[in-house]
Amino acid sequence: MAMIIRQRLSRPARFIVLALLCSLLVGQVSGSLGDRLPDFKSCVSVCIEENCKNGGAILPLHLRLLLWTCPSNCDYVCQHVITDKRVSRDPPMLEPIVQYHGKWPFYRFMGMQEPFSVLFSFFNFLAHQHGLSKMRAAIPSDYPLRKYYILFGNLGLASWTFSMLFHTRDFGITEKLDYFAAGASVCYGLYYTPIRIFRLDQQSSPMKQSVLRLWTITCILLFTAHVAYLTLWRWDYTYNMTANVAAGIVQNLLWSWFSFSRYQKLKKPWVAWPGLIVAWIVMAMSLELLDFPLYWGMIDAHSLWHLGTVGPTVWWYNFLIKDAQQDMTGERLKA
């Protein structure tokens, strides 16, 4: 199963996404309509001038702990001042709620910028943690694929940890950590998928061992080049999403084929799980394609997309355990 691609999509990019998955090519804009509104610019300027000079207003401790400053607080307050003004206008506007800095005007909670994205990222973290615990208990340490599955789980924990940090406070460093961790998870999903499907882990085949070494080196170089390009050359949202989506499509197709072919052979319902999980993920991703303004000022399509990935993660660990147990049973029968 492909690791979840979590980056937020801009509206124009959704049409590109539809074309590749319809084709899933995505971009993110650096500015939004809200940023360019004269009323918003004026509000921020006046707020900073009146509240942030000569030491500035003292913010509550919980905001300061999450690195809110007087200017950033002015930006937050003005987003809601302008949004309330636009929503209450008579006659009503066609689009009263607009995005600022690429995001909807969320109501923060305890200083967290996107509280439900943080909460649902935490649910995903717990799903990986629970899955890892079950896997360690159910799969013997000498099972060849166990080490690959354990690393899959640990990368999942790291990825969702950085997701929580990023959605708590959006800084350059938290954004990069989130994107690179998500990229590492997706790349690793692409790495271990053919290892399981084609059983490249088998020590008895020198040819498979050679292919495994070559595949390992290839994936390491690809991810290193990916990070180097984004870090040293250009921080490119479109390229980053395209790379992640391409890797995700390849592994999803492989798992779907694997699921279908094995079900034809074994006729056991659990064998079809990877294909069903892939279908779930594709349907959940429609939440990214069909973005909509906030519900209750806190829930957007992106946060619901995070919620939609919790179930498939739990299900996926159950499949890995069932698959390993079936594999070990088959090996014992051969012996």
Side-chain angles (χ1 to χ4, degrees), residues 48-280:
I48 292 175
E49 181 67 29
E50 293 185 356
N51 297 286
C52 302
K53 300 294 184 180
N54 302 318
I58 299 177
L59 299 178
L61 178 61
H62 69 280
L63 295 182
R64 285 181 280 137
L65 288 175
L66 290 180
L67 305 181
W68 286 91
T69 63
C70 185
S72 65
N73 191 61
C74 280
D75 189 289
Y76 167 81
V77 170
C78 286
Q79 287 185 33
H80 291 283
V81 168
I82 301 305
T83 297
D84 291 345
K85 179 180 176 182
R86 290 171 62 88
V87 168
S88 61
R89 175 181 158 175
D90 189 19
M93 293 182 165
L94 292 176
E95 287 188 274
I97 303 176
V98 297
Q99 294 189 348
Y100 301 83
H101 317 301
K103 297 186 178 186
W104 297 107
F106 292 89
Y107 286 116
R108 64 191 176 197
F109 176 75
M110 298 300 294
M112 293 182 288
Q113 283 181 277
E114 300 177 58
F116 276 93
S117 285
V118 175
L119 178 62
F120 298 152
S121 294
F122 181 60
F123 288 171
N124 279 279
F125 178 92
L126 292 178
H128 278 282
Q129 189 178 61
H130 177 68
L132 269 172
S133 177
K134 285 182 62 178
M135 199 158 53
R136 287 191 172 103
I139 302 177
S141 59
D142 60 348
Y143 180 63
L145 288 169
R146 186 179 188 266
K147 61 183 180 182
Y148 297 102
Y149 297 163
I150 295 296
L151 185 52
F152 160 81
N154 287 328
L155 282 172
L157 292 176
S159 177
W160 289 106
T161 297
F162 289 125
S163 176
M164 286 186 281
L165 287 174
F166 173 58
H167 291 302
T168 296
R169 288 293 279 123
D170 180 358
F171 296 119
I173 183 63
T174 57
E175 180 183 49
K176 286 179 172 60
L177 288 172
D178 177 50
Y179 277 47
F180 289 153
S185 294
V186 172
C187 185
Y188 186 76
L190 179 63
Y191 170 68
Y192 88 88
T193 294
I195 293 176
R196 166 59 192 97
I197 290 176
F198 303 114
R199 293 312 303 264
L200 300 181
D201 61 297
Q202 292 177 343
Q203 301 284 338
S204 58
S205 172
M207 173 64 74
K208 286 187 176 181
Q209 287 299 293
S210 297
V211 172
L212 177 58
R213 284 191 290 270
L214 179 61
W215 180 235
T216 301
I217 293 170
T218 299
C219 288
I220 291 173
L221 290 177
L222 284 174
F223 183 67
T224 302
H226 173 73
V227 173
Y229 173 78
L230 291 171
T231 304
L232 304 176
W233 185 256
R234 187 161 73 104
W235 184 256
D236 187 330
Y237 291 101
T238 300
Y239 157 74
N240 179 68
M241 184 60 72
T242 302
N244 280 277
V245 167
I249 288 175
V250 171
Q251 57 196 284
N252 279 342
L253 289 175
L254 284 171
W255 281 117
S256 297
W257 167 78
F258 176 74
S259 177
F260 177 77
S261 60
R262 287 195 79 207
Y263 181 77
Q264 293 290 98
K265 179 181 178 182
L266 300 178
K267 300 298 182 182
K268 294 183 178 180
W270 68 267
V271 177
W273 289 357
L276 296 174
I277 293 169
V278 167
W280 184 334

